[in-house]
Amino acid sequence: MTEPRPAKLALEDGTVVAGYAVGAPGETTGELCFNTSMSGYQEILTDPSYAGQVMLMTYPHIGNYGAFEAATEADRPHVAGLVVRQLSVDPSNHDMEETLDAYLARHGLVGISGVDTRRLVRHIRQRGVMNCVISSQDLDDASLVAKAKAVPSMAGLELASGVGVAEAYDFSEAGERRVAVYDYGVKRHILQSLSALGAAVRVFPAGMPFADVLAWEPDGVFFSNGPGDPRAMPGAIGTAREAIQSGLPLFGICLGHQLLALAEGLEVYKMKVGHRGANHPVLNLTTGRVEISTQNHGFAVREDGLAGVAEVEHRNLNDDTVEGLRYLRFPGFSVQYHPEACPGPHDSRYLFDQFFEMMDAAPAERHRQPAREGVSQPVDA
């Protein structure tokens, strides 16, 4: 056992708490958010949608089962930092390859433990999410608060271009249907879910012109999850508009849901406190069933202006926000939550089946139509 290293966390409103450093030594900044999942910490750490965010885990014991590659959603952590009540130093799991602390240190991820996470969650719930800094180097309260205040707001921040692929690649090549995936930070389990249903899946960079995607002759287009403010992504919104005009079946998750909504003229707003956890109840308005869902978002689609554009198909039962839309002017739908789960329940995996049913029902000739003339080509947001 090594001697605990002191560390501090400071919020932009002047709140400062002391604890012990975990992971790599140093300093990190980002928007402090919290996740209510009891497990799945490694999937959360590696979800590209969390780029720019410092993640506070509400469950008091984190790291109980160590870390291992099979639990990752990307090749590295994407969160900006980690806050926990207690980090397990003696995990137990036959799949474990290293401790969580060693995993964090190996990837240079800065964290803090030994803090009152319940107090911090209550503070955020009352005041709203805010920027923070974690440091094991600078322990001066005034200096840390000043650094937290200097962190750019997530509102208006484009982050997706920094987490996606630079070149197109084939995730799976064999399948009866071709699914083109726009990568804004796509999770591995989304790609695996599409491939498992028998699709050839090609992943395209966020700034890929839609004409180049059409040249691959896809049967459907998927818009992925990702970090940041979708309103700061004009190129991606333009791509979504072109995809809508192509007549191809479309499916969007999380950020992809917001981009499709923006492309259809709907509004997106930043939430006071986002949804992050594996136990959010969502009502399917078509079936009347309640689904327990995995969620990770700080922005949401405003319900105003839906008439003639889309119908709300899923609604959050905690705060009545829009969780899913069925579009009326093109074959497509989108959801704010994560049907692939990981971590979380599998109540909503049927949505991938619905996407394939939509592709099966689409006229074959529609799949091969070029983009309409006069539509501007998208650029990187």
Side-chain angles (χ1 to χ4, degrees):
M1 296 292 292
T2 59
E3 189 71 21
R5 296 169 287 144
K8 285 187 176 180
L9 180 149
L11 301 179
E12 61 180 294
D13 70 349
T15 302
V16 179
V17 296
Y20 299 100
V22 295
E27 189 170 289
T28 189
T29 63
E31 182 182 75
L32 182 63
C33 305
F34 63 87
N35 192 299
T36 58
S37 301
M38 295 177 66
S39 62
Y41 50 79
Q42 202 171 351
E43 290 93 333
I44 292 167
L45 293 174
T46 55
D47 182 349
S49 297
Y50 283 124
Q53 295 177 326
V54 172
M55 188 51 53
L56 186 161
M57 301 298 297
T58 63
Y59 190 67
H61 303 289
I62 298 298
N64 311 49
Y65 51 88
F68 50 101
E69 182 62 26
T72 60
E73 291 290 345
D75 58 0
R76 63 179 176 86
H78 283 277
V79 299
L82 180 65
V83 183
V84 298
R85 178 68 185 91
Q86 180 178 334
L87 190 74
S88 176
V89 296
D90 189 23
S92 176
N93 176 18
H94 69 281
D95 289 327
M96 185 185 79
E97 296 164 357
E98 58 188 328
T99 66
L100 180 58
D101 187 49
Y103 176 82
L104 298 176
R106 181 164 61 86
H107 287 282
L109 188 63
V110 174
I112 186 171
S113 69
V115 300
D116 188 344
T117 52
R118 291 183 300 177
R119 175 197 168 196
L120 285 172
V121 168
R122 288 176 63 87
H123 188 70
I124 293 173
R125 288 288 301 171
Q126 294 169 356
R127 302 285 185 90
V129 293
M130 61 187 77
N131 292 328
C132 76
V133 58
I134 300 173
S135 182
S136 59
Q137 298 173 331
D138 181 0
L139 301 180
D140 179 76
D141 291 4
S143 173
L144 292 173
V145 171
K147 291 176 180 178
K149 290 181 177 179
V151 179
S153 171
M154 187 65 70
L157 200 59
E158 190 281 310
L159 295 172
S161 60
V163 298
V165 294
E167 297 181 358
Y169 72 94
D170 290 318
F171 180 81
S172 59
E173 298 184 33
E176 295 182 1
R177 288 296 186 191
R178 290 185 172 192
V179 177
V181 174
Y182 265 102
D183 180 13
Y184 305 110
V186 68
K187 295 169 63 178
R188 283 176 178 165
H189 277 92
I190 289 178
L191 300 177
Q192 291 168 357
S193 297
L194 292 168
S195 177
L197 290 176
V201 178
R202 180 168 290 185
V203 181
F204 292 90
M208 178 69 72
F210 189 66
D212 292 351
V213 175
L214 276 183
W216 185 59
E217 298 187 334
D219 296 299
V221 181
F222 176 83
F223 289 84
S224 85
N225 61 291
D229 188 341
R231 300 168 300 183
M233 302 173 63
I237 297 169
T239 297
R241 289 197 184 105
E242 291 191 72
I244 288 169
Q245 292 173 344
S246 75
L248 285 166
L250 308 180
F251 181 23
I253 288 177
C254 201
L255 181 69
H257 161 75
Q258 298 160 7
L259 291 173
L260 287 173
L262 287 167
E264 278 290 84
L266 302 176
E267 293 185 13
V268 169
Y269 65 96
K270 192 175 191 306
M271 306 170 75
K272 178 181 178 181
V273 179
H275 298 163
R276 297 174 181 89
N279 58 350
H280 287 254
V282 169
L283 176 63
N284 184 320
L285 298 175
T286 301
T287 66
R289 296 183 61 184
V290 175
E291 304 164 17
I292 303 302
S293 67
T294 294
Q295 304 208 5
N296 165 26
H297 62 101
F299 294 83
V301 175
R302 200 177 300 280
E303 197 162 346
D304 300 342
L306 284 180
V309 176
E311 293 179 348
V312 177
E313 201 163 54
H314 300 86
R315 189 177 296 282
N316 192 293
L317 292 179
N318 286 335
D319 60 9
D320 210 36
T321 53
V322 173
E323 291 286 357
L325 294 172
R326 173 78 56 172
Y327 297 96
L328 303 178
R329 300 191 288 203
F330 66 93
F333 64 98
S334 60
V335 291
Q336 185 62 78
Y337 56 100
H338 284 266
E340 83 287 348
C342 299
H346 300 157
D347 299 26
S348 305
R349 280 192 171 177
Y350 68 88
L351 290 167
F352 290 101
D353 295 313
Q354 288 187 358
F355 182 43
F356 276 72
E357 291 167 3
M358 186 174 287
M359 288 189 287
D360 290 339
E365 63 273 12
R366 181 186 295 169
H367 303 162
R368 308 296 180 246
Q369 294 297 316
R372 292 184 181 181
E373 295 183 1
V375 178
S376 60
Q377 296 299 323
V379 296
D380 287 318

